[in-house]
Amino acid sequence: MKKQILYTFIFAAFFLNACDSTEQQTKEAPQQKEKIAVGTNIKSLAKKQTSSDKDKTESEVVAQTESKSAKAEYRQISWEDLEIPGKGMDAVLAKFEKEIEAIPEGSLKEKEVLGRLQAELNSAPVNPELDKKKIKLSGFVSPLEIDEKEGVVKEFLLVPYFGACIHVPPPPLNQTLLIKPAKDQRIKLEDAYDPIWVSGVIHAESTVTKLAEAGYKISDVKIEPYTEHLQE
Amino acid sequence: MILLKLTLRSLWNRRMSLFLTILSIAVSVMLLLGVEYIRKEARQSFLSTISGTDMVVGARSGPVQLLLYSVFRIGNATNNISWKSYQEIKKNKWVDWTIPLSLGDSHKGFRVLGTNQDYFKYYRHGDKQLLKFQKGKPFDGVFEAVVGAKVAQKLNYQIGEKIVIAHGSGSTSFTEHKDKPFTVVGILAPTGTPVDRTVHISLEGIEAVHIDWVNGAPISGYKISAEEALKKNLKPEVITAFLVGLENRIATFRLQREINEYTREPLLATVPAIALAELWQTIGNFETILRIITVFVVIAGLLGMLTTLLSTLNERRREMAILRAVGAYPRHVFFLFVLESLILVVLGCLIGMLLLVALVALAKPWVIEHYGLFLNNWLPSSSDLLLIAVISALAIVFSFIPAIIAYRRSLQDGLTVRV
């Protein structure tokens, strides 16, 4: 019976997926074939029921393909790589599965557990192994600060999907990256809705220790428009 | 070299009609660059209104609407939000600072904003600039006011002036809070944002002027004087909106969702940069239309030049024939025309730019007076220079037509006397 609650989350994942794919369709991008694409983490969430450690193998595969094309200076990573294996969304959902099933439906306890689940998703830790690594990641721009003279985005958050998908919780902290591009790398306001590739040095600061510094930041960024094919 | 000399002499010989051609090019170039200039100025004054603020929170409406009424002071708020909710969100661990905003009253057509000292501490515009004082200091007492640069200038206010706050946001109101005048204690430096057109008072001030109002009208016989009002509890019950600065901008979406899902009151949190981008995308379309129109104006100007060149072609038959007779090659004739139009267009562009500089300098005081907008002096930017290069290239291409005609005409053509 209690599976239903878990299903709401899985449903939510599908909704999120829906937001995601409509956006990509407008960019005429059927990118199912590609392993690393915008918002793949969401898909893996949808697939999660089958195997929870699939996450790990997937990132291994990514690492392998990456080492093959070793000429690339920046390692191309996916959004799942930003989570710690075993502490990502999938793992959190799996952890709460039993607890949710154990409590009576519609009770106050249920609300409380779901609240905790949400909190855990929100405070998902950053992956310290990524710190100071040169990476390449694709995503969407959510502007934070605009240069009024040039009409360009001075500071933004890189997120896995476009706009606010209202059906589900916002991306957790480890799925939003703060980026302050240098002057020559800034995106025009008009182009802020297009997906981009970001290459740069990633900095991971734990949520637990420093509130003001928590999360991922990418410095020395190079920004390119998003293309479907892996650029190697 | 001799070619250039010949061109210049020839041009000088036909100076009257060519002067008009240059003028038409100059005017069209001025128009094109002028539209580019206005576009950039408008964008700048629009985008510089708010900076360094991570979130605007108000009653539930739309993100753009919330930004318009709380920051741009355009239109009216849909609803107020309770002081309690504000206090609660203020305590959130991600929140660094907040600025409460209370709107709804006016002073001689200028909006009155109720806020606190944090406004002068945290509110940023342009390139993260804080507000500066021209004269005076931030308000401290309940009946003290700080006015924007435009308000002070238009109404000729000095420090110490007594002003009366009116109900509603029209230019005149028939219900004024006359019994409780405010004293101007500070005048802000111009910012080029809606702050210039705002009268700032404390939240307690807003409460005080409304203290003897019940059910939307002052009760006759129930008057509370300014002194008495001070003794009353002036703690605000409601505010219109508030601005939020975050400890860490990565938490933007998280706090936004927390506020949007606040259960005790329907609240809306919006990220100003996103709402600005959204708004600008809508307004931006008008920009494109303006640009298309001016491009056509420039093409019309160049066509005018082409017409002049073509019409003088017949007059200049003799000239060309003589040049050929004294030994000029057909290609010399060709370059004569190309060079001529190049000189025309470069002169046209230069005069156009000078006209624009003069026009902006002349319009500046008037625009400040009437619209409160501060125009920057016009200086050609790299994109402007690129435009001029494109225009020059286009002019050269256009000049190929008369040049080729002249090139193909034989020597005899100009020398044969025709009836």
Side-chain angles (χ1 to χ4, degrees):
Chain A
M1 263 344 272
K2 297 301 141 317
K3 274 229 167 86
Q4 266 177 328
I5 295 129
L6 197 72
Y7 285 156
T8 45
F9 269 88
I10 293 159
F11 254 107
F14 276 116
F15 265 124
L16 183 51
N17 206 2
C19 289
D20 211 6
S21 49
T22 44
E23 186 48 44
Q24 269 148 23
Q25 270 155 23
T26 58
K27 307 273 178 236
E28 48 198 78
Q31 31 74 32
Q32 249 74 345
K33 297 151 263 169
E34 276 162 33
K35 190 137 277 160
I36 303 136
V38 184
T40 357
N41 62 322
I42 315 306
K43 275 175 200 137
S44 74
L45 176 62
K47 280 183 286 183
K48 74 124 259 204
Q49 266 187 314
T50 47
S51 67
S52 62
D53 54 349
K54 205 189 161 201
D55 190 14
K56 212 183 282 176
T57 51
E58 238 173 56
S59 53
E60 270 165 24
V61 170
V62 171
Q64 273 168 16
T65 51
E66 225 32 67
S67 57
K68 267 177 206 160
S69 56
K71 60 168 185 175
E73 207 188 335
Y74 294 97
R75 192 171 84 96
Q76 195 170 313
I77 61 164
S78 65
W79 285 89
E80 297 102 78
D81 295 338
L82 296 172
E83 298 173 333
I84 294 179
K87 282 190 179 176
M89 265 194 163
D90 302 2
V92 172
L93 287 182
K95 185 178 143 192
F96 277 89
E97 195 174 355
K98 269 193 190 142
E99 197 172 351
I100 289 171
E101 277 190 48
I103 50 171
E105 204 174 339
S107 65
L108 273 174
K109 179 96 162 67
E110 178 192 314
K111 246 189 180 168
E112 184 261 334
V113 172
L114 287 182
R116 272 198 290 135
L117 166 60
Q118 186 58 57
E120 188 142 342
L121 282 179
N122 275 340
S123 57
V126 296
N127 189 350
E129 274 172 36
L130 280 174
D131 198 26
K132 312 262 181 344
K133 294 267 161 62
K134 280 189 163 181
I135 55 107
K136 186 172 180 179
L137 182 67
S138 55
F140 285 93
V141 172
S142 173
L144 288 178
E145 199 68 48
I146 297 166
D147 183 284
E148 79 282 2
K149 286 204 175 70
E150 305 296 326
V152 290
V153 180
K154 273 201 289 197
E155 197 177 335
F156 65 89
L157 290 177
L158 189 73
V159 287
Y161 51 86
F162 176 78
C165 190
I166 204 111
H167 310 293
V168 289
L173 290 188
N174 67 7
Q175 300 283 293
T176 43
L177 296 91
L178 188 69
I179 295 170
K180 283 185 208 178
K183 265 209 170 112
D184 58 328
Q185 289 294 330
R186 289 175 183 168
I187 312 157
K188 277 189 185 165
L189 208 51
E190 299 91 86
D191 304 332
Y193 291 124
D194 300 329
I196 53 164
W197 277 113
V198 174
S199 327
V201 182
I202 193 164
H203 301 268
E205 199 73 59
S206 163
T207 328
V208 191
T209 49
K210 284 186 214 155
L211 198 63
E213 303 280 312
Y216 287 114
K217 289 184 180 77
I218 307 182
S219 64
D220 309 313
V221 288
K222 204 171 125 241
I223 292 169
E224 293 156 290
Y226 179 74
T227 46
E228 277 313 312
H229 304 287
L230 303 181
Q231 298 177 329
E232 296 306 331
Chain B
M1 212 45 231
I2 187 93
L3 216 54
L4 185 68
K5 215 172 195 174
L6 270 174
T7 319
L8 287 175
R9 290 278 165 84
S10 167
L11 283 173
W12 186 247
N13 205 27
R14 291 167 288 129
R15 54 188 175 272
M16 207 43 223
S17 68
L18 290 178
F19 172 72
L20 287 175
T21 313
I22 291 176
L23 201 67
S24 82
I25 295 172
V27 169
S28 58
V29 166
M30 181 190 79
L31 207 63
L32 179 73
L33 297 180
V35 166
E36 280 294 294
Y37 169 76
I38 291 169
R39 202 174 65 85
K40 277 185 194 153
E41 284 296 304
R43 184 177 69 187
Q44 185 177 341
S45 89
F46 173 80
L47 294 178
S48 68
T49 305
I50 189 160
S51 160
T53 300
D54 297 315
M55 223 170 278
V56 182
V57 183
R60 198 160 290 168
S61 50
V64 171
Q65 200 196 356
L66 175 60
L67 188 77
L68 282 181
Y69 74 68
S70 63
V71 177
F72 286 87
R73 323 261 147 80
I74 297 171
N76 288 307
T78 43
N79 210 343
N80 274 337
I81 56 176
S82 77
W83 183 252
K84 232 178 109 191
S85 312
Y86 166 55
Q87 289 302 324
E88 209 161 295
I89 291 162
K90 204 177 160 181
K91 277 187 227 131
N92 189 296
K93 67 166 175 171
W94 295 104
V95 174
D96 183 23
W97 52 262
T98 58
I99 300 172
L101 305 170
S102 192
L103 292 153
D105 289 290
S106 71
H107 171 70
K108 300 198 170 150
F110 294 105
R111 298 286 172 107
V112 170
L113 173 71
T115 181
N116 60 19
Q117 277 85 349
D118 287 345
Y119 186 80
F120 306 105
K121 225 158 92 190
Y122 298 116
Y123 184 79
R124 286 164 196 271
H125 63 91
D127 191 14
K128 294 197 181 178
Q129 286 159 290
L130 287 167
L131 294 171
K132 284 191 204 78
F133 277 85
Q134 214 172 68
K135 280 179 213 156
K137 55 173 182 56
F139 52 73
D140 197 21
V142 173
F143 293 106
E144 289 183 351
V146 170
V147 297
K150 172 90 176 124
V151 181
Q153 186 211 15
K154 190 94 185 260
L155 303 174
N156 203 12
Y157 280 168
Q158 300 299 328
I159 302 287
E161 195 101 21
K162 295 261 187 246
I163 61 172
V164 171
I165 308 296
H167 214 56
S169 54
S171 62
T172 44
S173 176
F174 304 106
T175 46
E176 291 183 324
H177 306 288
K178 267 186 192 138
D179 51 335
K180 299 180 193 74
F182 283 74
T183 312
V184 177
V185 295
I187 297 170
L188 293 171
T191 60
T193 69
V195 172
D196 295 351
R197 299 188 295 275
T198 306
V199 175
H200 309 84
I201 62 172
S202 64
L203 288 171
E204 290 78 19
I206 295 265
E207 286 298 311
V209 293
H210 295 111
I211 205 155
D212 45 10
W213 281 52
V214 177
N215 293 333
I219 304 167
S220 55
Y222 177 64
K223 281 264 181 247
I224 294 174
S225 72
E227 293 76 32
E228 280 172 291
L230 279 178
K231 285 176 210 146
K232 296 244 173 198
N233 177 19
L234 292 176
K235 210 177 98 260
E237 290 291 315
V238 289
I239 55 172
T240 312
F242 59 94
L243 307 179
V244 178
L246 294 179
E247 285 280 350
N248 184 345
R249 291 185 141 181
I250 285 175
T252 305
F253 291 127
R254 203 169 139 191
L255 185 69
Q256 186 182 21
R257 181 58 66 103
E258 256 176 62
I259 294 173
N260 285 344
E261 286 182 350
Y262 189 71
T263 42
R264 252 154 283 174
E265 195 176 357
L267 295 179
L268 174 77
T270 177
V271 180
I274 296 176
L276 274 179
E278 239 170 67
L279 202 58
W280 190 247
Q281 293 226 319
T282 330
I283 305 174
N285 290 336
F286 295 106
E287 280 191 319
T288 323
I289 294 167
L290 262 182
R291 258 175 148 173
I292 291 170
I293 293 170
T294 47
V295 165
F296 278 111
V297 170
V298 170
I299 291 176
L302 290 177
L303 281 176
M305 181 190 78
L306 181 65
T307 319
T308 326
L309 288 180
L310 281 174
S311 67
T312 56
L313 213 55
N314 272 336
E315 295 168 25
R316 299 176 68 193
R317 280 189 157 170
R318 293 282 150 80
E319 192 186 327
M320 295 304 141
I322 290 166
L323 283 177
R324 292 287 312 276
V326 297
Y329 288 108
R331 64 184 151 92
H332 288 140
V333 173
F334 180 86
F335 282 118
L336 214 59
F337 273 89
V338 175
L339 210 58
E340 184 177 313
S341 50
L342 189 65
I343 291 170
L344 287 181
V345 79
V346 167
L347 274 177
C349 289
L350 283 178
I351 294 175
M353 289 198 271
L354 286 177
L355 278 176
L356 186 59
V357 170
L359 198 72
V360 170
L362 278 176
K364 222 171 149 175
W366 186 80
V367 172
I368 293 175
E369 174 68 28
H370 287 84
Y371 298 101
L373 277 176
F374 292 84
L375 298 179
N376 293 313
N377 282 325
W378 184 80
L379 283 170
S381 65
S382 53
S383 64
D384 289 338
L385 295 178
L386 188 75
L387 272 176
I388 284 175
V390 169
I391 293 170
S392 306
L394 214 60
I396 290 173
V397 171
F398 275 25
S399 73
F400 282 175
I401 300 168
I404 287 169
I405 295 173
Y407 177 90
R408 291 172 74 177
R409 273 193 184 146
S410 59
L411 179 57
Q412 291 90 331
D413 186 46
L415 292 180
T416 322
V417 183
R418 277 195 251 161
V419 190

